Amino acid sequence: MYGQALARFSPKTDSAGRVHSIMKLEQKSVDYYTSTFALKGLKPEAQERMHLERCQAYLMLNKFDKAIDDCTAAIAINPKSTKAYITRASIYDGINKSELAIEDCKKAILYSNTAEMKAGLYNLMAHSYLKLHQYSKAIIADSTAIILNPNLANAYINRAEAYGRSGKCQLAIGDLSIAMAGYQEKPLILSNLLSYRGDMKRGLKQYKEAINDYSLSLKLNPDNGITYWNRAAAYRQNGDYQLAYEGYSKAITYYKNDRMQLAKLYDDRALMEVGLQQFPQTLADDSLALALDTAFAEAYYNIANARAQNGEYARSNAGFKKAMYYYSKNSFAMTAIYGSMGHNEYFLGNYQTAVDYSTKAIELRTVNWSPYFERGRAYLKLKNNDLAINDFKEVLARDTSKQSNDYAFSLFYTGNPDKAINVMQTSFLRTTDSFILMGDYYNMACLYSLMNKPEEANTFLKKCIAEGYNKKYAFTDTDFDNIRNTADFKQIMGIK
């Protein structure tokens, strides 16, 4: 009889449900197995196998709770069912019940009889640890997997992610490089590995090497928005603003249906437009970012900063006031905002207001020394020389790097002009970033003008303007009062 044949667990009977699964008739498979369980005479090993087969059908139907129930039933029949523990662990990992997945992996390891199977289980356990942000445990589990099976590429990949999240980028790079050897014939996977290795190199500030990995990744898979985005970020960090701008523009095409990500991309591109001194485009892109995400704090800050660099000081401060709403509980951000507003008021000639905003920044007691510098300059304009000198001395004490522009100018204001020039000259050697270098040229021009050295001042002013520095800002800078009437200044600024 049919029931008796089933009791002997015949290949014919067992394969029938499997065929239904292969034909994607999962519900029929479930119904088949369910009706079969009603038959009398099923042996325990047959019941275990049938539960695991029905579990697979439930998985195809995305009925994970029922699939787990079948694994649990199989374990009740056979407490040493390695397959049941492995299957249930995989389901738990997939539905983010990581603690339960780890416990099942540990049990499955006890009943596994091959090194390869144990290696796979340690790798699965590591993946669950990774989801729990327990990176050291993930690293230990994957290291065990690699000892058991040195050819298990997934363990290297998973361990690389754990290393990366732990800030151990160089170790992550090593694991990714090993893993790549196993995927030379799988371009999409290899592309993702190259992209992730690029992320790790970027974390080590190896920007050119990161760009190379991203470019190799895109050759294998040209349709990868996040890699275009990350390569653009590497170009940006390497000071290649035009290439970064192009990269962000390309990435934007992949995120048209994701408002939040699209807003971030427009803001990123706007920052590149600042670097390129393209302020109308900057304001347009940050406005698009805010239209997409009206609570995008960074865009409010960045659009205010762009207006300041474009010489729109009053509108800049209006923008910073909007940004305050989103940064009110962030003392570091509020220090920068108040300091920037003090800077704007200084350029507007409102020196007491500049003092007031700078003082608000200082009262937040962060490590930022810039508000002391801004307040010191405003005190000088108000003829409060003693208070000004005290603030400049505070800058010299706080800037332990002794490299900032504020430090150089504070040296000048406290009677050390030669040392100030040396600091600025050294700054030229520290960067190849065109935007930073352009700013350094501008500051050197200001410094020489304050020293009443018009020839040197105009030489550096001409350099920065030739590089694209915004003339609107220079027009309003009182640092140039000593050279404003020189023929060279007028020629550089286009004054007839």
Side-chain angles (χ1 to χ4, degrees), residues 1-229:
M1 292 178 62
Y2 183 74
Q4 292 173 331
L6 183 63
R8 292 194 297 272
F9 196 48
S10 73
K12 178 180 177 181
T13 307
D14 176 55
S15 65
R18 201 177 301 152
V19 169
H20 284 308
S21 294
I22 293 170
M23 295 173 66
K24 297 185 179 180
L25 298 173
E26 289 83 9
Q27 188 57 54
K28 288 186 178 180
S29 296
V30 168
D31 295 341
Y32 169 80
Y33 286 120
T34 301
S35 63
T36 302
F37 279 123
L39 298 174
K40 296 180 179 180
L42 282 173
K43 292 183 178 181
E45 61 269 23
Q47 294 182 50
E48 176 191 352
R49 178 67 176 273
M50 299 290 279
H51 277 299
L52 292 174
E53 291 290 344
R54 188 172 67 178
C55 165
Q56 295 301 318
Y58 277 134
L59 288 176
M60 297 295 290
L61 293 167
N62 292 325
K63 295 182 177 181
F64 302 116
D65 288 343
K66 289 186 177 295
I68 288 169
D69 289 343
D70 266 336
C71 289
T72 303
I75 290 168
I77 295 166
N78 177 12
K80 296 184 179 181
S81 177
T82 306
K83 185 174 181 180
Y85 283 119
I86 293 172
T87 304
R88 193 169 68 175
S90 298
I91 298 169
Y92 281 142
D93 181 70
I95 62 174
N96 296 318
K97 294 186 176 182
S98 303
E99 294 93 343
L100 294 173
I102 290 165
E103 291 306 310
D104 274 356
C105 284
K106 289 178 179 178
K107 291 175 183 176
I109 287 168
L110 293 175
Y111 307 123
S112 299
N113 52 19
T114 68
E116 288 78 7
M117 185 178 289
K118 289 181 179 180
L121 284 162
Y122 276 111
N123 178 229
L124 178 57
M125 189 190 307
H127 191 258
S128 293
Y129 278 131
L130 198 61
K131 288 186 173 183
L132 293 170
H133 308 293
Q134 297 178 10
Y135 304 129
S136 60
K137 289 184 178 180
I139 290 166
I140 291 169
D142 269 322
S143 297
T144 304
I146 289 166
I147 291 170
L148 291 166
N149 182 4
N151 297 318
L152 185 59
N154 278 340
Y156 291 103
I157 295 170
N158 201 71
R159 190 172 68 174
E161 187 170 354
Y163 278 140
R165 294 189 186 183
S166 302
K168 299 175 181 178
C169 298
Q170 193 59 56
L171 291 172
I173 289 168
D175 273 355
L176 289 167
S177 299
I178 293 170
M180 286 178 194
Y183 291 102
Q184 293 301 308
E185 303 303 319
K186 296 182 178 180
L188 292 181
I189 295 176
L190 186 58
S191 173
N192 289 334
L193 293 175
L194 282 163
S195 184
Y196 189 53
R197 191 172 71 177
D199 295 343
M200 295 300 99
K201 290 179 178 178
R202 191 155 58 93
L204 292 172
K205 299 183 179 180
Q206 299 172 357
Y207 303 127
K208 290 182 179 179
E209 292 84 350
I211 290 165
N212 184 57
D213 272 354
Y214 291 135
S215 297
L216 289 171
S217 172
L218 289 168
K219 281 185 178 180
L220 293 167
N221 179 18
D223 195 28
N224 192 334
I226 189 63
T227 302
Y228 285 111
W229 193 341

Side-chain angles (χ1 to χ4, degrees), residues 297-313:
E298 291 91 340
Y300 283 108
Y301 181 89
N302 290 335
I303 200 169
N305 187 53
R307 289 195 185 282
Q309 294 192 53
N310 197 40
E312 302 175 50
Y313 306 113

Side-chain angles (χ1 to χ4, degrees), residues 20 33 68 79 94 119 152 185 240 242 245 329 340 346 390 396 421 426 444-445 456:
H20 284 308
Y33 286 120
I68 288 169
L152 185 59
E185 303 303 319
D240 299 326
Q242 183 60 44
Y245 169 86
K329 295 181 180 180
S340 296
Y346 176 89
N390 286 339
L396 297 177
I421 292 295
T426 302
M444 184 66 102
E456 293 88 340

Side-chain angles (χ1 to χ4, degrees), residues 229-245:
W229 193 341
N230 289 337
R231 187 174 66 171
Y235 279 133
R236 166 186 173 182
Q237 290 164 308
N238 198 49
D240 299 326
Y241 296 105
Q242 183 60 44
L243 290 172
Y245 169 86

Side-chain angles (χ1 to χ4, degrees), residues 323-335 337 364:
M324 282 183 182
Y325 174 80
Y326 300 98
Y327 287 109
S328 60
K329 295 181 180 180
N330 184 330
S331 60
F332 292 98
M334 288 301 294
T335 299
I337 289 171
L364 291 169

